[in-house]
Amino acid sequence: MVAPFAAGIHGGSPLTYDDLYAMADAIPHILWATDAAGEVIYVNRRGVEYTGLRPEERRDSEWHSLIHADDADEARLSWEQAVRTETPYERDLRLRRADGEYRWHGFRTIPVRDADGRVVRWIGTATDIHDQKALEDSLRRSERQTKEMLTLLESLQAAAPVGFGFVDRDLRVVRANDVLATLGHGTMEEQIGRPLAEVLREGWPLVEPIYRRVLDTGAAVLGLEVAAPTVNDPDQVRSWFMNFYPVRVDGEIIGVGLVVVDITRRAMAEEFRSVVMDNMAEGLYTIDADGLLTSMNRAAVRMLGWEEAELRGRDVHSVVHFQRADGTPFPPDDCPLAKTRRQGRPVKVADDTFTRKDGSIFPVSYSAAPLRIGSRDRGAVVVFHDNTESRERQQRELEARHAQKLESLGRLSAGIAHEINTPIQFVGDNTRFLAEAYEEMLALLLVYRECLDGTGQEVSWDDRVARVSEAEQKADIDYLASEVPLAVAQSLEGIERVASLVRAMKSFSYKESNDRSYADLNEALHTTLTVARNEVKYVADVTLDLGEIPEVLCSLGDLNQVFLNLLVNAADAMQGKGKRGQIRVSTRTEGSMVVVSIADNGCGIPSQLQQVIFEPFFTTKEVGKGTGQGLALARAVVDQHAGTIEVNSREGEGTEFVLRLPIDGKRSGPA
């Protein structure tokens, strides 16, 4: 029979141990008891059902195996310390439930002592606090995230190039970052709590009505642009983009939030762009994705004759680019500008035409590039140049070049006539000699035929021999036998000299064309020397040092003129030397360039004149001996070939002109 445990309340029946066990099994917590050594001696029903261990499994190790591995060491050490010190302990540990899930429990353990104060057992409880723990963790995470967000927001506000601030209903500064603080007097810390009228002083009359309007109406004011001197540097004007927002709490406006963006750079860039666009010499206009004009600068207005307002929103192609130079239609599908919009790629066109408002056509060169906003093409920007003056200048240069060639040919004409006359003269003399020799040889031939004719009267052999001998003596057959071949050879040589000179003249006067072709510059130099032979042969000896060079893409007629001018100048430099000079012509290859050198040992060029000899109309020759266009045109031709020409000269010692010409270049273009 179980002894009573204690008297009942208000005189009721005393509690028995069975009552205590029943109470222990009824509570919603795990309850256990151990002996003084810590060996489990009791677990209530909640503990058995919760953990799935049978009551008889009372070994301490089995119950400790229910603790999560990450908490096991802490639980063991805490229990050992409690047993050693005989003091209670409390820990939050994860306990494995029967289904295998670990859940947080609050463990509480106290010692039970006997009358002598010795620990005889331990009583412990474990309460499921998993949901509470999760809630606490969630609250901690939320609090931590809130702090992090606030810290991040403050950091962003401090670092961002945008001003943030808040003003309460009394128009006092409640919050402001460093950027916004630069608009007012004092540091950011000094501005907090002060009336906005004191902080902004100079600008307060401008913004006060806006603040009050936002507070009174609750409507935001956006996009206000303000330009004003800065407080710290009154000489520096900055531009700001301001936005004012009502701030509400529970529907009530408690103040005004301010967002300010510094647009000084953008304003300066727009002003710079406006100045450049309106003052650039080239015409510029922009079109949208449909080819409709959106803007144009002053130069475009001047060149096209249209005002921007007249063309804005119209299809540019149908107005200024609808016809070619000959007046034939220019279909939009063939238009390079349309291809720029469709394909999103830039184009450059060197020779085209636009049409003015008055219907006149003028030559242009232009480039077009797609106008992108983000990753999408929104239209194109077109920059064009009026080539009318350029074409007129090219025509003038062409005429000057022709005049220079005519001048050169005029100067050389007497020498060329002499060069042709000499071989023609001895060809004529030899031809007359051959005509006389023919008559004599024909007479001798007739005598031979008569002597060999057996149908006539009888003539003795001796008479025939005598007649032939007399005819041969009269014809002087030995003289003819030696002189006729010589006369023929001399005549052929003279004819070849004339033919060579004609070929040289033909090559020298190579037909000019915008189309360039590859040519042998060594052969061109030979040709030019042939043409200039009469100018050179009486004053200088010419030495050729022509290396192995590749053919050069060039306008051969123009280069022949350059070579001729330099050779004639070299010959002129020998005048007054009192002795025969030397002219050396050489060629070589340097990388992608062919180098042509024409040097003489003439009088040289004074150093103060070497910088101006390539200028048009400059000449050191006496009046009537030159137009001063030779070296100027030489430089122009070399420049058009993307080459260089330089002079090395010492007065009294001689001059060398060095031309460097690219081996390869564009096959078409102005020559």
Side-chain angles (χ1 to χ4, degrees):
M1 179 177 181
V2 178
F5 184 79
I9 299 176
H10 302 297
S13 300
L15 293 174
T16 66
Y17 281 108
D18 290 336
D19 294 329
L20 293 176
Y21 285 131
M23 291 173 60
D25 289 339
I27 63 175
H29 306 281
I30 298 174
L31 179 67
W32 78 92
T34 69
D35 60 17
E39 194 69 26
V40 177
I41 59 176
Y42 170 77
V43 177
N44 70 345
R45 181 180 299 170
R46 168 73 175 176
V48 173
E49 293 176 350
Y50 189 90
T51 62
L53 289 179
R54 296 187 300 276
E56 60 271 16
E57 294 177 314
R58 294 184 174 182
R59 289 193 300 274
D60 184 57
S61 60
E62 292 174 344
W63 284 94
H64 275 282
S65 68
L66 299 174
I67 303 299
H68 193 284
D70 293 342
D71 302 334
D73 289 341
E74 180 184 353
R76 180 178 55 79
L77 293 174
S78 298
W79 175 243
E80 290 176 353
Q81 182 180 7
V83 171
R84 184 175 61 255
T85 61
E86 297 182 344
T87 58
Y89 83 93
E90 298 182 4
R91 289 288 183 275
D92 292 343
L93 305 170
R94 282 166 287 184
L95 185 66
R96 188 180 69 208
R97 201 165 58 183
D99 60 3
E101 179 185 0
Y102 284 94
R103 295 180 64 84
W104 285 100
H105 284 69
F107 284 78
R108 305 291 183 270
T109 306
I110 60 174
V112 178
R113 302 177 185 273
D114 60 12
D116 297 328
R118 292 177 299 177
V119 175
V120 295
R121 67 179 59 85
W122 293 84
I123 302 296
T125 61
T127 303
D128 190 330
I129 60 171
H130 192 83
D131 294 337
Q132 177 185 347
K133 193 86 169 178
L135 179 60
E136 291 175 354
D137 289 344
S138 176
L139 290 174
R140 281 194 296 271
R141 285 195 301 270
S142 177
E143 182 180 357
R144 184 173 61 254
Q145 290 172 353
T146 300
K147 290 181 179 179
E148 291 175 351
M149 289 298 295
L150 289 174
T151 303
L152 176 61
L153 180 60
E154 291 176 353
S155 300
L156 289 174
Q157 289 181 354
V162 177
F164 295 97
F166 172 66
V167 177
D168 62 17
R169 291 195 64 87
D170 295 328
L171 299 180
R172 291 181 177 274
V173 179
V174 176
R175 190 177 186 84
N177 68 346
D178 288 332
V179 175
L180 187 63
T182 60
L183 293 175
H185 293 271
T187 64
M188 179 181 67
E189 291 77 9
E190 293 171 343
Q191 293 179 12
I192 302 301
R194 293 175 59 192
L196 195 58
E198 296 180 7
V199 174
L200 291 183
R201 296 179 194 170
E202 300 83 357
W204 179 241
L206 174 64
V207 298
E208 180 185 11
I210 300 173
Y211 276 100
R212 297 197 181 279
R213 186 196 317 168
V214 175
L215 290 172
D216 293 340
T217 65
V221 176
L222 308 177
L224 178 67
E225 291 192 25
V226 176
T230 59
V231 174
N232 297 329
D233 187 0
D235 295 331
Q236 183 183 20
V237 177
R238 303 191 70 83
S239 299
W240 304 89
F241 193 77
M242 295 186 168
N243 300 277
F244 304 82
Y245 301 89
V247 178
R248 292 180 173 88
V249 174
D250 296 330
E252 179 183 354
I253 298 176
I254 63 170
V256 178
L258 180 64
V259 178
V260 176
V261 181
D262 188 344
I263 59 171
T264 304
R265 290 186 178 180
R266 190 189 74 178
M268 293 176 61
E270 290 178 350
E271 182 178 356
F272 175 78
R273 182 178 60 187
S274 177
V275 170
V276 171
M277 284 186 59
D278 288 339
N279 293 279
M280 65 188 296
E282 286 75 18
L284 182 148
Y285 65 84
T286 59
I287 54 178
D288 62 18
D290 297 321
L292 307 182
L293 186 129
T294 55
S295 68
M296 60 193 300
N297 68 347
R298 292 177 183 173
V301 170
R302 183 180 67 253
M303 289 186 231
L304 296 175
W306 293 90
E307 293 295 332
E308 181 179 347
E310 296 177 298
L311 277 185
R312 191 181 297 116
R314 297 182 62 179
D315 178 35
V316 179
H317 179 83
S318 64
V319 178
V320 303
H321 201 212
F322 62 93
Q323 60 179 341
R324 296 186 173 90
D326 57 3
T328 57
F330 201 151
D333 291 341
D334 297 338
C335 175
L337 299 177
K339 293 180 180 178
T340 297
R341 299 198 327 270
R342 291 194 304 266
Q343 302 175 4
R345 292 184 295 182
V347 298
K348 290 185 178 181
V349 178
D351 189 15
D352 206 338
T353 57
F354 281 178
T355 302
R356 299 186 180 92
K357 183 179 180 180
D358 61 10
S360 59
I361 298 175
F362 65 103
V364 296
S365 57
Y366 61 82
S367 61
L371 180 61
R372 292 186 173 91
I373 300 178
S375 60
R376 299 183 61 185
D377 294 332
R378 297 293 186 180
V381 179
V382 181
V383 179
F384 65 95
H385 181 76
D386 186 343
N387 289 340
T388 302
E389 182 179 349
S390 176
R391 286 194 177 180
E392 292 175 352
R393 183 176 64 255
Q394 291 176 1
Q395 183 63 29
R396 290 194 298 270
E397 290 179 356
L398 183 61
E399 292 173 356
R401 199 174 303 163
H402 282 303
Q404 173 66 24
K405 183 169 288 189
L406 289 174
E407 177 192 350
S408 300
L409 291 176
R411 175 175 176 174
L412 296 174
S413 58
I416 293 172
H418 176 75
E419 289 295 312
I420 293 177
N421 182 65
T422 299
I424 288 297
Q425 184 174 352
F426 65 72
V427 167
D429 292 342
N430 284 333
T431 302
R432 284 189 290 273
F433 166 72
L434 290 175
E436 294 173 358
Y438 167 75
E439 293 292 336
E440 294 175 356
M441 294 291 286
L442 181 60
L444 178 60
L445 180 60
L446 293 175
V447 171
Y448 283 144
R449 290 184 65 182
E450 290 177 0
C451 292
L452 294 176
D453 188 5
T455 59
Q457 59 183 356
E458 288 292 333
V459 179
S460 66
W461 178 256
D462 291 338
D463 290 340
R464 295 180 180 183
V465 171
R467 290 183 61 186
V468 168
S469 177
E470 181 182 358
E472 288 181 350
Q473 188 175 7
K474 183 178 179 180
D476 196 355
I477 190 67
D478 292 334
Y479 172 77
L480 293 179
S482 62
E483 292 298 323
V484 167
L486 183 60
V488 172
Q490 289 178 344
S491 298
L492 292 175
E493 180 184 354
I495 292 171
E496 176 57 30
R497 286 182 59 184
V498 172
S500 175
L501 189 58
V502 170
R503 285 194 300 270
M505 288 298 298
K506 182 178 180 181
S507 177
F508 178 78
S509 59
Y510 185 86
K511 182 180 179 182
E512 294 185 9
S513 170
N514 286 338
D515 292 330
R516 299 175 182 177
S517 59
Y518 285 94
D520 186 345
L521 295 191
N522 285 344
E523 182 180 348
L525 288 166
H526 276 293
T527 296
T528 306
L529 281 169
T530 301
V531 173
R533 182 173 179 274
N534 198 67
E535 285 283 322
V536 175
K537 67 181 181 180
Y538 298 111
V539 296
D541 296 322
V542 179
T543 302
L544 294 178
D545 182 17
L546 306 182
E548 294 185 4
I549 60 174
E551 292 188 341
V552 174
L553 184 61
C554 64
S555 174
L556 186 58
D558 290 337
L559 289 182
N560 280 337
Q561 182 65 52
V562 173
F563 298 154
L564 178 62
N565 291 344
L566 296 179
L567 285 170
V568 169
N569 285 348
D572 290 342
M574 305 299 174
Q575 303 295 334
K577 286 279 289 185
K579 61 180 180 179
R580 192 171 182 83
Q582 292 285 334
I583 298 176
R584 184 175 64 86
V585 180
S586 64
T587 59
R588 65 183 185 275
T589 302
E590 287 184 359
S592 62
M593 310 288 280
V594 162
V595 181
V596 178
S597 169
I598 299 178
D600 63 70
N601 61 348
C603 60
I605 302 173
S607 58
Q608 67 271 18
L609 298 181
Q610 292 181 24
Q611 302 299 320
V612 296
I613 59 175
F614 293 106
E615 295 181 2
F617 306 110
F618 175 82
T619 181
T620 58
K621 300 175 183 177
E622 61 187 67
V623 177
K625 290 296 184 68
T627 63
Q629 291 288 349
L631 291 178
L633 288 176
R635 165 161 281 180
V637 169
V638 173
D639 287 346
Q640 290 167 356
H641 283 77
T644 61
I645 180 171
E646 61 184 42
V647 59
N648 302 309
S649 182
R650 287 191 178 182
E651 192 171 3
E653 296 183 12
T655 301
E656 179 187 26
F657 286 93
V658 179
L659 287 74
R660 287 180 169 82
L661 301 167
I663 297 172
D664 297 306
K666 296 180 179 179
R667 286 188 171 273
S668 62

